[in-house]
Amino acid sequence: MSDTPWLTIIGMGEDGVAGLSMRSQAALAQAEVVMAPPRHLELLCNTTAQTIPWPVPFSDGIDHLETLRGQRVVVLASGDPFWFGAGSVIAQRFGADEWAAHPGPSCFALAASHLGWALERTTCLGLHAAPMARLRRHLAQGTRAIVTLRDGDAVGTLAKYLCDQGFGDSTVTVFEHLGGPQERVTNHAATTLNGTFSHPVCAAIAVAGLGNALTHASGQCDDIFQNDGQMTKRPIRAITLSTLAPKPHEHLWDIGGGSGSIALEWLLAHPSTRATCVEPREDRAANIAVNADTLGVSHRLTLVTGAAPEALPGLETPDAVFVGGGLTAALLDDVIALPARLVINAVTLEGEAWLSAAQAEHGGDLMRIEIANAKPLGRKRGWVSSYPVVQWSLSR
């Protein structure tokens, strides 16, 4: 990186210039242009630089920065710009020799130090530009989380979301203007939280309650998925996810999505996984979209309403493919040709025959899964068998 980049990203706290490091103050003193949100510009004093409020939408500000090359420019952001902030977006646009960064303490660090929480054991989420459902997979008794929020009104939205999910016993500590002279810290129960709060604001949550926590193993309860009965049930889904073996940064095709349960559990496995779900029926595709929103993973799901194999050309190449519905000989030929590991489930005799022939030709593992559940049988009980599932898996 150059010793004199034209662009400097500075993390500023609520105490303004006085709280900046000597490096940051020196960069600010030499700046010809300062771009920042209006509240940060209001904290400046005695600057001779041109000041430009960061526009909305955020991407317009990145475009405007492009026009300022050749001048000494400072961008002011909150706290640590590379933790749910603007830093990484700016760094992706400009070359490594064009910018330098001087981060300040993040709101997560300030909140944790106030509460005495170990930050490495605390979930930290940016909800200032994301739905509350991003919290869903983290909600469990005893969890601690610190979240950024869009504005003061979002504090009430957060409390309502916790109550709606069955975690109304949670304690919510609200931090306003954290680290500055107007700092205010208040503690609330989610069930009784009310009042007016001012931006910038973040909240620390000590999660408590008897809500339905998601498991971190494969095989979520069936009832967390909105469905019309067409879905891979929990025991088969657990086996299927284990065979698919999701890994960080991998992309799944879920063909014949039904309720989307396989794709959604793939996305729950790790925050970097992605999935494309192909479902021919619009009503089922709508259920998949609702389920993705509810579980907070819709930002990593691509939903394609169409029939396979016709809907497959042009989709991003997958690392893994699951076929759970609509298996045909033509579709089987197409997915076998992909450079991805395959897991295909079949319940019909025709599908079983195709998978048996494919395993004989291409190898892989062929498994028959038979499950029976105890059901009432008169005044006693008996075993009721589900349709057996034949699963073929092929690793590349």
Side-chain angles (χ1 to χ4, degrees):
M1 183 176 291
S2 169
D3 292 335
T4 56
W6 64 272
L7 174 61
T8 303
I9 309 164
I10 294 177
M12 177 179 276
E14 291 301 299
D15 51 356
V17 177
L20 296 179
S21 66
M22 293 182 63
R23 280 197 314 170
S24 296
Q25 292 193 33
L28 194 55
Q30 297 169 11
E32 299 171 277
V33 180
V34 178
M35 279 188 69
R39 67 184 183 86
H40 283 147
L41 294 179
E42 292 172 3
L43 296 174
L44 295 179
C45 56
N46 301 323
T47 181
T48 59
Q50 176 190 2
T51 57
I52 302 175
W54 196 281
V56 176
F58 179 83
S59 57
D60 288 352
I62 301 293
D63 293 336
H64 192 74
L65 275 180
E66 292 272 13
T67 69
L68 299 176
R69 278 193 175 92
Q71 302 181 73
R72 297 190 68 82
V73 180
V74 163
V75 169
L76 298 178
S78 296
D80 184 347
F82 288 89
W83 202 346
F84 299 108
S88 60
V89 181
I90 295 172
Q92 288 171 7
R93 176 69 74 93
F94 300 101
D97 61 344
E98 295 186 83
W99 58 270
H102 307 321
S106 69
C107 64
F108 303 106
L110 293 172
S113 64
H114 181 94
L115 296 167
W117 289 3
L119 200 54
E120 74 274 10
R121 295 196 297 272
T122 302
T123 297
C124 297
L125 295 174
L127 300 183
H128 53 282
M132 295 296 169
R134 297 281 175 88
L135 259 176
R136 182 65 185 89
R137 66 191 298 267
H138 304 285
L139 292 180
Q141 176 78 26
T143 296
R144 289 174 170 177
I146 301 172
V147 300
T148 61
L149 296 170
R150 180 189 66 254
D151 53 29
D153 291 342
V155 176
T157 304
L158 170 65
K160 183 179 185 303
Y161 180 77
L162 291 170
C163 293
D164 290 346
Q165 299 302 316
F167 294 95
D169 292 337
S170 300
T171 298
V172 180
T173 303
V174 182
F175 297 91
E176 302 166 77
H177 300 279
L178 185 55
Q182 300 180 61
E183 177 180 283
R184 185 168 79 117
V185 182
T186 53
N187 290 296
H188 312 261
T191 50
T192 59
L193 189 151
N194 56 55
T196 302
F197 304 92
S198 60
H199 181 73
V201 60
C202 67
I205 310 161
V207 180
L210 301 178
N212 184 16
L214 299 179
T215 176
H216 281 251
S218 58
Q220 302 287 341
C221 293
D222 292 346
D223 59 10
I224 74 166
F225 303 105
Q226 181 171 300
N227 68 89
D228 61 359
Q230 185 69 25
M231 68 180 298
T232 304
K233 300 301 191 294
R234 184 186 59 80
I236 302 297
R237 190 178 342 113
I239 294 171
T240 300
L241 264 295
S242 177
T243 308
L244 281 168
K247 300 177 181 65
H249 307 288
E250 287 193 327
H251 177 213
L252 170 75
W253 282 3
D254 180 357
I255 300 175
S259 68
S261 61
I262 292 292
L264 297 173
E265 287 219 39
W266 171 279
L267 295 173
L268 288 172
H270 193 272
S272 69
T273 52
R274 294 171 297 115
T276 296
C277 201
V278 180
E279 169 52 52
R281 285 181 45 170
E282 291 187 0
D283 57 336
R284 289 176 178 167
N287 281 342
I288 295 169
V290 169
N291 289 332
D293 287 339
T294 300
L295 295 171
V297 295
S298 57
H299 59 301
R300 293 186 280 125
L301 176 71
T302 299
L303 184 54
V304 177
T305 305
E310 294 79 11
L312 302 182
L315 300 182
E316 181 184 352
T317 302
D319 299 289
V321 176
F322 170 66
V323 180
L327 180 63
T328 64
L331 175 57
L332 183 58
D333 288 340
D334 281 3
V335 296
I336 286 175
L338 292 168
R341 59 185 185 275
L342 308 178
V343 177
I344 304 174
N345 290 353
V347 295
T348 66
L349 292 175
E350 292 81 1
E352 183 175 338
W354 292 328
L355 296 187
S356 178
Q359 194 262 352
E361 181 178 354
H362 300 282
D365 295 317
L366 194 64
M367 176 170 57
R368 182 181 172 93
I369 309 167
E370 299 186 74
I371 294 176
N373 292 284
K375 302 286 185 180
L377 187 62
R379 289 181 296 174
K380 299 183 180 180
R381 293 171 299 157
W383 292 109
V384 176
S385 297
S386 303
Y387 284 114
V389 174
V390 173
Q391 182 178 96
W392 178 51
S393 57
L394 179 65
S395 296
R396 305 291 189 178

